[in-house]
Amino acid sequence: MPNLDPNSTVNTGPMYTAVFDQLVRLDENAGLQPGLAESWELDPNDPKRWIYHLREAEWSDGVAFTAADIKFAQEYIKNPDNKSNLVSRVSTEESAEVIDDRTVVIVTADVDPSLPRRTTLQQQFAKHIFEDASKGPEWAAINAVGTGSYVIQSYIRDQTTVLAESPSSWRGTQGMTEVTLEEITETTTRLAAYETGELDFAMSIPIAEQLRIGGLPGSTIVQTPHTTSWSWDISPFKEPTSDLRVRFALIHAIDYDTINETIMANSSEVMQGQILHMGTPGHNPNLKPWGFDPDKSRQYLKDAGFANGLSGLKATTLFEQNAEQKPWAEACASMWDDVGIGVDLNPVETNLWREQLYGRAEHDHLLWSTFSSQAIREASTQLQWYLSDHPSGYYDNQDFDAALKAARATLDPEERNIAYWPVTQIMHDDPPAGYFISRGRANAYYTTKFGAPMRVGGNSAIYLDEVVPA
């Protein structure tokens, strides 16, 4: 987590979901579960108006939670001056209206039947904190006032956060009253801390270590679903990747089956020539992987005027989040080199990577990207990043814009799923990215410490308020 302000990242990790609530939460089967909203419905007289009926709740500093908080948060996120990284979460919204303290209406610019699912991706923050001139986002970055099941006892950025059960939470916990979260990004150190019992739960267990870690006395491995794509966004705005033939040359050079078999030890799934995972409603069953074809790559290069090869491309990537990221990126660079494309890897720390991800810095020719929609079962949360008016700046295809806006406004779920097929077809034929593999995350925990099996899935690797102590 960059800091305690939930506007600072789209990541919905366990710290945020412990301290803050959403209007709606996903259950482990991706069903919608009441959160700060006890119920919600579409206005029968206007399909652009979603009515949320709110529960009585209290912010952890004693101030009452009301509908005004929801209206403020939606408008704050949407305002580009605030640079909220949640802006993509409210991209279909036009305004919010307070009916009374317990009722708020969110109005969408166009019909958006997916709005309740989108609200599962937003942690709700307090109006009175962000409006206070002595507090605001700077204060919220190192403090946290939420309605969630836990409050912050102490916080050292990038190191340690201590949580205690909130006495005012409407949700409560299942008996785990204090939690210490350790931010250990270095894999060997994290695994050693788990192996010695310093940690009771550890996230992101490398593939090569899963058998050993899962075999420790009382230890078990739990897998999150395959919802996260490992892809390369390829800029259609920079030369020479603005040439479609160069983008296809990059895509056909990647042997994703071999990457899956070796680096991923067959633990990932090959993407089917589209951004949507096979389990996501809207996935186009008619599309297949572009295919590994180095001869085709070389022919595309020749047709684009690079018969003697191409050099000087730059690929920004992360090495720090998963043990497999570095070998994955290096394997891709080697495969590009094999067909005559020279790509320089630019590994950066997460916050610098996010600057390109969110469009606040110019994209390099290639940008490692990871998107997920299967978790909330709604295709448009991924696809919307490629709209021409999205601040991320990944794509500019007017046919794509029109097809996506028409699809996400389709009310019938089955018809909406099929309506997404032309959208993914456009991206397949004019790719702004190469979508190669998808994977989940392996976490480990000691059954001697916890009772019921730990939940996986939803929007967080673990909901701390649902964990049962042994």
Side-chain angles (χ1 to χ4, degrees):
M1 302 294 106
N3 57 59
L4 296 181
D5 178 2
N7 288 289
S8 64
T9 176
V10 296
N11 195 325
T12 49
M15 180 176 71
Y16 287 156
T17 54
V19 174
F20 302 95
D21 282 311
Q22 303 113 311
L23 276 174
V24 185
R25 181 189 273 190
L26 291 179
D27 64 25
E28 58 188 319
N29 297 312
L32 296 179
Q33 183 182 85
L36 286 171
E38 293 183 306
S39 62
W40 51 93
E41 73 266 356
L42 199 58
D43 187 330
N45 300 312
D46 187 346
K48 295 181 182 179
R49 294 169 59 87
W50 279 96
I51 304 168
Y52 289 84
H53 304 282
L54 309 177
R55 69 176 70 249
E56 289 191 9
E58 186 177 284
W59 296 102
S60 55
D61 62 357
V63 175
F65 160 78
T66 71
D69 290 301
I70 301 299
K71 174 179 169 62
F72 174 83
Q74 302 305 105
E75 293 174 348
Y76 183 94
I77 294 169
K78 196 168 181 65
N79 185 344
D81 293 340
N82 295 323
K83 297 181 179 179
S84 171
N85 287 330
L86 300 180
V87 65
S88 65
R89 311 303 199 205
V90 298
S91 62
T92 65
E93 298 178 21
E94 186 173 83
S95 61
E97 301 172 6
V98 172
I99 305 302
D100 55 46
D101 281 354
R102 304 264 71 82
T103 312
V104 67
V105 174
I106 297 179
V107 184
T108 55
D110 299 302
V111 176
D112 182 11
S114 71
L115 188 69
R117 290 193 171 273
R118 290 174 177 273
T119 56
T120 68
L121 298 171
Q122 301 170 36
Q123 278 69 242
Q124 296 300 322
F125 50 94
K127 175 178 183 286
H128 67 280
I129 297 297
F130 279 76
E131 282 188 330
D132 188 335
S134 67
K135 294 180 179 177
E138 293 78 15
W139 185 90
I142 55 175
N143 300 275
V145 172
T147 60
S149 297
Y150 294 88
V151 293
I152 302 287
Q153 291 289 91
S154 64
Y155 172 68
I156 304 174
R157 180 178 174 175
D158 297 331
Q159 295 184 46
T160 305
T161 304
V162 179
L163 305 172
E165 186 176 18
S166 172
S168 62
S169 169
W170 61 271
R171 190 190 293 273
T173 70
Q174 296 299 312
M176 197 164 66
T177 58
E178 186 173 294
V179 183
T180 300
L181 300 175
E182 300 286 359
E183 187 77 14
I184 308 175
T185 57
E186 203 284 310
T187 301
T188 302
T189 306
R190 184 170 67 256
L191 295 185
Y194 180 78
E195 191 168 357
T196 60
E198 180 183 345
L199 300 178
D200 304 312
F201 171 84
M203 296 169 66
S204 298
I205 308 300
I207 294 168
E209 295 283 0
Q210 289 176 21
L211 185 62
R212 183 180 70 83
I213 294 297
L216 296 173
S219 176
T220 189
I221 295 286
V222 59
Q223 295 276 355
T224 64
H226 288 260
T227 62
T228 302
S229 63
W230 281 31
S231 312
W232 291 102
D233 281 296
I234 310 172
S235 175
F237 305 108
K238 295 174 73 76
E239 293 184 359
T241 52
S242 56
D243 190 319
L244 178 62
R245 293 166 296 187
V246 173
R247 301 205 297 277
F248 273 127
L250 287 160
I251 288 170
H252 285 294
I254 301 300
D255 185 354
Y256 28 76
D257 286 319
T258 295
I259 287 175
N260 185 33
E261 292 169 6
T262 55
I263 297 169
M264 301 299 175
N266 287 316
S267 67
S268 60
E269 295 176 349
V270 172
M271 299 289 283
Q272 298 298 297
Q274 59 190 297
I275 192 173
L276 301 181
H277 307 81
M278 286 182 280
T280 304
H283 172 86
N284 187 340
N286 303 309
L287 297 180
K288 303 301 176 188
W290 287 282
F292 169 55
D293 192 333
D295 290 335
K296 186 177 287 187
S297 286
R298 296 183 185 98
Q299 185 62 51
Y300 272 121
L301 286 177
K302 182 178 179 181
D303 293 344
F306 300 103
N308 296 321
L310 172 63
S311 62
L313 300 188
K314 190 174 180 181
T316 293
T317 185
L318 292 177
F319 283 175
E320 63 191 44
Q321 289 189 336
N322 296 278
E324 294 79 29
Q325 282 179 305
K326 186 173 186 290
W328 143 270
E330 291 174 341
C332 289
S334 176
M335 292 171 182
W336 286 321
D337 186 65
D338 287 343
V339 299
I341 303 175
V343 177
D344 297 322
L345 296 179
N346 176 36
V348 298
E349 62 96 18
T350 302
N351 287 330
L352 290 177
W353 171 74
R354 286 191 177 110
E355 290 298 295
Q356 289 193 41
L357 181 72
Y358 297 130
R360 292 194 292 262
E362 183 181 353
H363 294 179
D364 285 327
H365 296 101
L366 296 114
L367 176 67
W368 181 79
S369 66
T370 172
F371 287 111
S372 176
S373 66
Q374 186 178 338
I376 72 165
R377 302 294 196 268
E378 171 50 42
S380 64
T381 58
Q382 279 180 296
L383 293 168
Q384 68 185 9
W385 285 74
Y386 293 89
L387 287 168
S388 58
D389 60 358
H390 195 279
S392 59
Y394 291 129
Y395 201 32
D396 186 9
N397 185 310
Q398 297 304 307
D399 291 337
F400 170 86
D401 289 359
L404 175 55
K405 290 176 180 179
R408 72 182 182 187
T410 304
L411 288 174
D412 181 83
E414 293 302 319
E415 292 179 5
R416 186 164 70 253
N417 292 344
I418 295 173
Y420 283 124
W421 293 2
V423 183
T424 53
Q425 183 71 59
I426 291 167
M427 297 180 81
H428 183 85
D429 297 338
D430 177 30
Y435 308 107
F436 297 118
I437 60 172
S438 67
R439 62 171 304 187
R441 171 184 285 171
N443 302 321
Y445 71 93
Y446 287 105
T447 56
T448 53
K449 297 287 187 177
F450 304 104
M454 283 227 189
R455 164 183 173 164
V456 298
N459 295 333
S460 182
I462 176 175
Y463 286 100
L464 297 174
D465 56 74
E466 296 181 355
V467 175
V468 179

